[in-house]
């Protein structure tokens, strides 16, 4: 691959030209957040006591740990312009079109429904109230959902349209949707204070606003994001370093890598987050990736394993974080079929869908170059099909089995 193929994008040309001028002030606002401004649903500190009193007086809805992860995602603007859990019109657009039409007619990508399920008892408890208080898994008040709407949770339709199958054994479905209530609760979110996990990793949980400020601080003129849910192996490192080299060849002066592991819910056989973060830190410490041009942070979203549908969400979140390039690999967000011995999704469809997805036109998509161990050169190298027998392949999933 001699050049980086990209989505049609005005951001790449404007940022490249500004980087070539020494008099230009480089800003990391290389790509606008969806809707034009980052959503911030965390209540200002000066208002928190009053809001907490208000929340105490409202009917309460309990959150699961995964619900709390979605509160985190919404509150920091990863899902901008979404301001809360989806009401029915937003849900239907997301479910059927993978995008939402704004009031001004513009389209933003929204491929995964971000919803809050409640049961009959909670629905009855809410009654005619227009607002509800949200209670976290440990019993603490987390926030308020305003101007609420309650509508039916058709689980079978949601699963079929999100995953393209209703086969048993889908991890997120079994963990979240099957045991959930038969109603969905939408409304505008107010979060009483920033979501923290107190697990020793909160310093990695940079918000989209914090990431954009860090890109400014480092004077980035391009930001390329790489998501993974497994440890970094030498093939990944080769790819990321090569991507930076190619961006430099295109005329960018200071491309910054956002190494952005997913930090929300993952299935039981994935490598735990604390182990992954320790390994990612070691990769920088050992100089496999350059700490001066790499930012390691946690993407707080739960994982669906919904293939081409979900990879659009992963790309959208990185737009809101300020990345204008996104690396996509083989079978992104995919998994093995839960009941058959095959992949659930075509491994090439993720990158094809990203190149066509409505609302992602401003993002430059970087297809994964396949790396493998070259037994002749005795090092990781990009695969050469003319001497295929000389290469040994190792995937992130295979690496995960070693942990």
């Amino acid at each position: 691959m001699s050049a980086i193929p990209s989505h049609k994008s005005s951001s790449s040309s404007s940022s490249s030209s500004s980087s070539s001028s020494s008099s230009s002030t480089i800003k990391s606002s290389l790509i606008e957040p969806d809707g034009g401004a980052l959503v911030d649903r965390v209540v200002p500190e000066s208002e928190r006591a009053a809001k907490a009193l208000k929340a105490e007086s409202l009917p309460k809805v309990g959150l699961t740990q995964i619900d709390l992860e979605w509160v985190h995602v919404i509150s920091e603007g990863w899902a901008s312009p979404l301001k809360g859990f989806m009401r029915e019109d937003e849900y239907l657009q997301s479910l059927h079109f993978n995008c939402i039409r704004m009031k001004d007619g513009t389209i933003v990508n929204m491929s995964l429904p971000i919803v809050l399920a409640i049961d009959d008892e909670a629905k009855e408890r809410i009654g005619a109230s227009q607002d509800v208080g949200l209670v976290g898994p440990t019993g603490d008040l987390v926030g308020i959902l305003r101007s609420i709407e309650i509508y039916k949770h058709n689980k079978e339709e949601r699963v079929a349209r999100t995953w393209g199958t209703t086969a048993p054994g889908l991890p997120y479905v079994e963990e979240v949707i099957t045991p959930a209530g038969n109603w969905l609760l939408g409304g505008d979110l107010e979060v009483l204070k920033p979501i923290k996990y107190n697990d020793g990793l909160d310093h990695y949980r940079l918000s989209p606003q914090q990431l954009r400020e860090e890109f400014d601080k480092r004077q980035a003129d391009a930001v390329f994001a790489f998501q993974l849910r497994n440890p970094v192996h030498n093939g990944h490192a080769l790819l990321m370093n090569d991507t930076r080299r190619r961006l430099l060849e295109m005329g960018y002066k200071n491309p910054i890598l956002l190494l952005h592991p997913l930090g929300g819910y993952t299935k039981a056989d994935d490598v735990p987050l604390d182990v992954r973060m320790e390994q990612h830190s070691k990769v920088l410490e050992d100089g496999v990736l350059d700490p001066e041009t790499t930012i390691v942070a946690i993407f707080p979203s739960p994982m669906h394993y919904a293939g081409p549908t979900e990879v659009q969400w992963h790309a959208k979140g990185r737009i809101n974080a300020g990345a204008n390039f996104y690396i996509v690999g083989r079978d992104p967000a995919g998994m093995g079929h839960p009941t058959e011995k095959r992949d659930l999704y075509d491994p090439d469809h993720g990158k094809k869908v990203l190149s066509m997805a409505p609302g992602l036109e401003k993002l430059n998509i970087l297809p994964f170059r396949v790396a493998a161990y070259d037994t002749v050169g005795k090092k990781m190298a990009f695969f050469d099909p003319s001497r295929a027998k000389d290469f040994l392949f190792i995937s992130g999933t295979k690496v995960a089995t070693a942990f």
Side-chain angles (χ1 to χ4, degrees):
M1 193 180 299
S2 58
I4 296 175
S6 70
H7 233 316
K8 181 177 65 178
S9 172
S10 59
S11 63
S12 62
S13 59
S14 61
S15 59
S16 181
S17 61
S18 67
S19 69
S20 63
S21 169
S22 59
S23 62
S24 295
T25 301
I26 297 170
K27 285 289 183 184
S28 76
S29 302
L30 305 171
I31 189 165
E32 273 200 347
D34 282 345
L38 275 176
V39 165
D40 179 0
R41 304 304 294 177
V42 179
V43 173
E45 201 162 354
S46 61
E47 301 174 22
R48 287 176 191 171
K51 296 282 188 182
L53 276 175
K54 174 64 176 175
E56 285 282 10
S57 71
L58 297 170
K60 307 294 191 301
V61 169
L63 302 175
T64 66
Q65 180 60 37
I66 295 174
D67 292 334
L68 186 65
E69 291 171 4
W70 283 121
V71 168
H72 183 181
V73 165
I74 297 165
S75 69
E76 291 187 342
W78 296 100
S80 294
L82 195 66
K83 295 180 179 178
F85 286 104
M86 290 178 175
R87 298 182 176 90
E88 189 174 36
D89 62 339
E90 295 165 321
Y91 171 70
L92 291 175
Q93 290 180 75
S94 171
L95 193 65
H96 291 271
F97 310 135
N98 289 168
C99 57
I100 290 176
R101 186 181 297 276
M102 304 282 289
K103 287 181 180 178
D104 65 1
T106 59
I107 297 292
V108 296
N109 194 275
M110 197 74 74
S111 65
L112 288 184
I114 300 178
V115 292
L116 178 60
I118 58 171
D119 58 18
D120 292 349
E121 184 183 336
K123 181 175 182 287
E124 189 173 333
R125 189 166 61 247
I126 292 167
S129 179
Q130 290 300 299
D131 306 324
V132 299
L134 301 177
V135 179
T138 59
D140 55 320
L141 269 173
V142 171
I144 299 172
L145 208 58
R146 300 274 191 186
S147 305
I148 63 170
E149 178 184 351
I150 299 174
Y151 55 102
K152 192 71 178 171
H153 186 192
N154 185 334
K155 298 179 186 180
E156 183 178 25
E157 180 188 33
R158 179 181 172 191
V159 172
R161 294 201 69 90
T162 303
W163 282 268
T165 180
T166 56
L170 297 167
Y172 190 90
V173 173
E174 293 198 340
E175 182 73 25
V176 178
I177 298 177
T178 300
N182 293 320
W183 304 95
L184 295 175
L185 176 64
D188 295 333
L189 184 64
E190 294 179 350
V191 179
L192 296 179
K193 60 182 179 180
I195 302 298
K196 301 295 180 186
Y197 299 81
N198 301 312
D199 57 358
L201 300 175
D202 282 330
H203 62 289
Y204 284 114
R205 294 186 174 96
L206 302 180
S207 69
Q209 184 61 43
Q210 289 171 319
L211 284 168
R212 285 173 175 263
E213 288 169 1
E214 183 63 24
F215 300 148
D216 280 346
K217 180 181 173 184
R218 299 199 189 197
Q219 294 191 304
D221 62 349
V223 176
F224 58 110
F226 184 59
Q227 165 167 304
L228 66 174
R229 65 176 199 266
N230 288 310
V232 173
H233 61 64
N234 286 340
H236 293 147
L238 176 66
L239 170 73
M240 289 182 273
N241 286 323
D242 184 68
T243 300
R244 185 170 197 277
R245 178 189 61 78
R246 290 186 291 144
L247 287 168
L248 289 168
E249 287 177 354
M250 289 173 66
Y252 293 96
K253 302 301 182 186
N254 190 28
I256 295 293
L257 165 64
L258 173 59
L259 183 61
H260 214 199
L262 184 135
Y265 161 80
T266 54
K267 56 188 173 68
D269 61 351
D270 279 356
V271 178
L273 180 61
D274 60 340
V275 176
R276 287 185 278 136
M277 296 312 296
E278 185 177 352
Q279 193 261 356
H280 297 345
S281 177
K282 186 69 172 168
V283 164
L284 266 65
E285 186 183 316
D286 291 349
V288 177
L289 296 172
D290 184 355
E292 295 297 315
T293 58
T294 304
I295 296 170
V296 180
I298 291 173
F299 179 46
S301 175
M303 187 77 191
H304 279 57
Y305 307 91
T309 298
E310 184 173 16
V311 75
Q312 296 172 66
W313 158 244
H314 293 167
K316 174 206 170 67
R318 280 30 180 255
I319 288 175
N320 286 329
N324 58 339
F325 290 87
Y326 185 74
I327 300 172
V328 59
R330 179 189 180 279
D331 196 22
M335 58 173 279
H337 194 285
T339 61
E340 301 174 19
K341 290 184 176 180
R342 61 177 177 87
D343 288 337
L344 184 54
Y345 305 105
D346 185 301
D348 291 326
H349 281 183
K351 63 186 178 186
K352 290 180 179 179
V353 166
L354 277 186
S355 72
M356 302 181 287
L360 297 182
E361 294 86 357
K362 58 188 174 182
L363 183 65
N364 296 279
I365 305 302
L366 309 177
F368 208 118
R369 296 182 72 192
V370 178
Y373 184 73
D374 183 347
T375 58
V376 175
K378 300 191 184 305
K379 64 178 182 178
M380 293 299 293
F382 291 115
F383 178 65
D384 180 354
S386 69
R387 51 186 190 91
K389 67 180 189 314
D390 295 336
F391 287 85
L392 294 176
F393 287 90
I394 184 165
S395 68
T397 302
K398 287 179 181 176
V399 169
T401 63
F403 280 74

